[in-house]
Amino acid sequence: MSNDPIHQFHINDLAKIEIGGVDASFTNASLFMVAGVAVASGFLIWAMRSSALVPNRAQSVAEIGYSFIHGMVRDATGDEGVKKFFPFVMTLFLFIFMANMLGMFPYWFAPTSQIIVTATMALMVFATVILVGLAKNGLKFFKLFVPSGVPWYILWFVVIIEIISFFSRPLSHAVRLWANVLAGHLVLKVFAGFVPALIAAGAAYGLLSILPLGMTVALYALEFLVAFLQAYVFALLTCIYLNDALHPGH
């Protein structure tokens, strides 16, 4: 079981809970989602506790993270988008980043390796775009599906493509994050499993274990980078989609 690369993604009940006949058990996935929120919130509260004019290292990290997401939202959606959506995007980024990072520790769980988690966030973004777009623009929101400057004789075809593209957003948004985390952890587990297997096969094969060990270390470093990049990409795409809600005709 320890060498099974799929076992790390199994969801196990930690506390059985049933509400109205619906299974609402607290699982290992729930635990690490709560832990991610707690760690991110705890760090920001601790880092900004003094709010010094000359920041210490922890406060500098918190301010850099804040400025980074704030700048991304402003560049993608403008000043109007910052006022309305910065807390939403910042929350998504921190949740995904911390969930990814916690999942990097051996025997811990990566919530973003579950498609239901990433799909829920993607659908939340999708619903927000539609609701905000209709509330702000009314029927003008549907200009999103009718690009300007397209010749009339192919406009119908372009409109169909735009509609399909729009409604496929939550699918690509969710699968991109889920697939990268899942694949990364699978490959890491497979290469790490070669090390004890080669050592157990004998002295001659044991020397070869250096190769998968080196690859495991390299992949581990790469996965830490992917943990950040996937949180960034998800947040960036969220900003781009929210900009469509604010400015559907652009």
Side-chain angles (χ1 to χ4, degrees), residues 16 97 127 129 154 176:
K16 292 290 293 184
F97 177 69
V129 170
I154 63 170
R176 182 181 292 104

Side-chain angles (χ1 to χ4, degrees), residues 89-109:
V89 177
M90 183 73 169
T91 301
L92 280 175
F93 174 83
L94 287 176
F95 175 79
I96 296 170
F97 177 69
M98 289 310 306
N100 289 348
M101 293 301 292
L102 290 177
M104 291 301 301
F105 291 91
Y107 304 106
W108 286 19
F109 190 86

Side-chain angles (χ1 to χ4, degrees), residues 71 104 119 122 146 150 191 197 224:
M104 291 301 301
V146 187
V150 179
F191 275 96
F224 274 105

Side-chain angles (χ1 to χ4, degrees), residues 25-48:
S25 299
F26 190 81
T27 66
N28 51 345
S30 307
L31 175 63
F32 283 96
M33 284 190 282
V34 172
V37 173
V39 171
S41 302
F43 172 76
L44 290 176
I45 294 171
W46 172 73
M48 299 303 297

Side-chain angles (χ1 to χ4, degrees), residues 4-119:
D4 178 13
I6 301 297
H7 183 69
Q8 60 183 313
F9 306 117
H10 289 183
I11 294 180
N12 303 312
D13 292 341
L14 301 180
K16 292 290 293 184
I17 302 172
E18 189 171 311
I19 302 175
V22 177
D23 186 4
S25 299
F26 190 81
T27 66
N28 51 345
S30 307
L31 175 63
F32 283 96
M33 284 190 282
V34 172
V37 173
V39 171
S41 302
F43 172 76
L44 290 176
I45 294 171
W46 172 73
M48 299 303 297
R49 67 192 185 283
S50 59
S51 297
L53 185 62
V54 179
N56 55 30
R57 292 178 181 177
Q59 184 178 336
S60 295
V61 171
E63 290 179 355
I64 290 172
Y66 181 97
S67 299
F68 176 72
I69 301 301
H70 186 276
M72 180 176 65
V73 178
R74 185 185 62 246
D75 292 342
T77 64
D79 292 333
E80 182 183 5
V82 170
K83 294 177 182 178
K84 293 182 177 180
F85 300 120
F86 170 73
F88 178 56
V89 177
M90 183 73 169
T91 301
L92 280 175
F93 174 83
L94 287 176
F95 175 79
I96 296 170
F97 177 69
M98 289 310 306
N100 289 348
M101 293 301 292
L102 290 177
M104 291 301 301
F105 291 91
Y107 304 106
W108 286 19
F109 190 86
T112 45
S113 66
Q114 302 297 316
I115 187 64
I116 187 62
V117 175
T118 61

